[in-house]
Amino acid sequence: MRCFNSHFPLSSQSLHPLPLPPRGETHLWYVIPDEVKCSSLLKQYLEILSPCEKQSVLSFCDSELRKKALLARALVRTTIARYQTNSYVDPRSLKFKKNSYGKPEVDWQQVPDVSWPPLHFNLSHTSSLIACGITTYSPIGIDVEDKKRTIKNDVMSFARRFFSPHEVEHLASILDSEIQRREFIKLWTLKEAYVKALGRGFSASPFKTFRILFKPSSKNTSSIPEIADLTESEITVESSEFPNGQWRFALLDLANTHYASICTENFNEETSSPMALRVWKTIPLLEDLCMSGTPSIITIGGLVKQLKWIK
């Protein structure tokens, strides 16, 4: 693993610049905390945080919790700062605010000389992986869960408490306990991604008030060479608040260790529009690897076009 031996200034070369994702395209960045071992790099991350963020990170007594909190904040700042138009955006200059339900947003009015289409982000993390999703124009919600996550209580007891009757019935029909556990985690990530895309979170949108549906869909036979993957199963949400088709989902096997769900708004509600998706694994300020279309990113469900990075 490469490591910086001395202090280096942040510059446009520190972060590989990217164009903003076009309408309808989603970008996902993730970092694996165990792969970030360089102490000088961690110090650099601390330097790009706001005073309040530094105070929050340093308040953790446990070194591993402190490191993961630091990585989460550094991932958000460095990811957003990559997307440049007319000028370089220093990740230290970014200001954040929260909506009425507590979801973080970029306060673009506090970023000088920037005139961009609305950029949305969402963060999710486990003890072993941290991910940040990016879209323009559309709200986004993401959730990641370790595939080996154990459920403290009985899976069905937990499902009856939080899931809709149809979802409970689906889980109860699965006789294999291990498959049932995995299906529970997948459903949880999808529901979590949905309420985060709404900008409300669990408390304002209880999981029992909507239903996640899986249904087969005809295969897209696009000949576009950069498309690496397109699944045939569509994921939708049934809710009294929103018409069917307003939201689209992706369910991924990420790095063979985690399930990841993404929810974004569908701009064409009359048709099932696939989600164009690019995925990067990163160590911020050090290296970026495009993982779309590789065995590390497997589409489990949803209409998804994995796009390879073309320079």
Side-chain angles (χ1 to χ4, degrees), residues 50-121:
S50 70
C52 288
E53 287 174 325
K54 288 181 183 178
Q55 183 178 2
S56 176
V57 167
L58 295 175
S59 68
F60 288 95
C61 296
D62 182 86
S63 60
E64 285 302 308
L65 291 177
R66 187 165 58 247
K67 175 184 175 181
K68 286 159 189 171
L70 173 59
L71 285 173
R73 288 162 173 81
L75 178 64
V76 168
R77 286 183 173 272
T78 56
T79 298
I80 294 172
R82 296 173 187 276
Y83 296 95
Q84 304 166 20
T85 52
N86 297 325
S87 60
Y88 167 69
V89 175
D90 190 321
R92 290 168 292 200
S93 69
L94 294 170
K95 306 294 183 183
F96 297 91
K97 61 182 180 180
K98 293 183 178 180
N99 70 6
S100 58
Y101 295 99
K103 182 180 181 180
E105 302 171 346
V106 180
D107 189 352
W108 292 113
Q109 293 182 346
Q110 301 298 320
V111 182
D113 303 321
V114 173
S115 179
W116 291 354
L119 184 148
H120 298 265
F121 78 94

Side-chain angles (χ1 to χ4, degrees), residues 181-218:
R181 182 192 66 83
R182 292 200 299 263
E183 290 303 305
F184 173 89
I185 296 174
K186 293 175 190 176
L187 264 176
W188 185 276
T189 64
L190 288 164
K191 293 170 85 72
E192 186 75 39
Y194 173 65
V195 298
K196 292 173 76 176
L198 293 179
R200 299 179 181 180
F202 177 81
S203 59
S205 296
F207 283 4
K208 275 191 173 183
T209 61
F210 61 91
R211 174 188 175 192
I212 298 293
L213 300 172
F214 292 80
K215 62 180 182 179
S217 178
S218 59

Side-chain angles (χ1 to χ4, degrees), residues 28-40:
L28 183 68
W29 296 81
Y30 69 93
V31 60
I32 298 175
D34 284 350
E35 294 183 357
V36 184
K37 304 179 183 296
C38 182
S39 59
S40 61

Side-chain angles (χ1 to χ4, degrees), residues 44 94 135 138 178 201 226:
Q44 279 296 119
L94 294 170
T135 55
S138 166
E178 175 58 20
E226 71 169 354

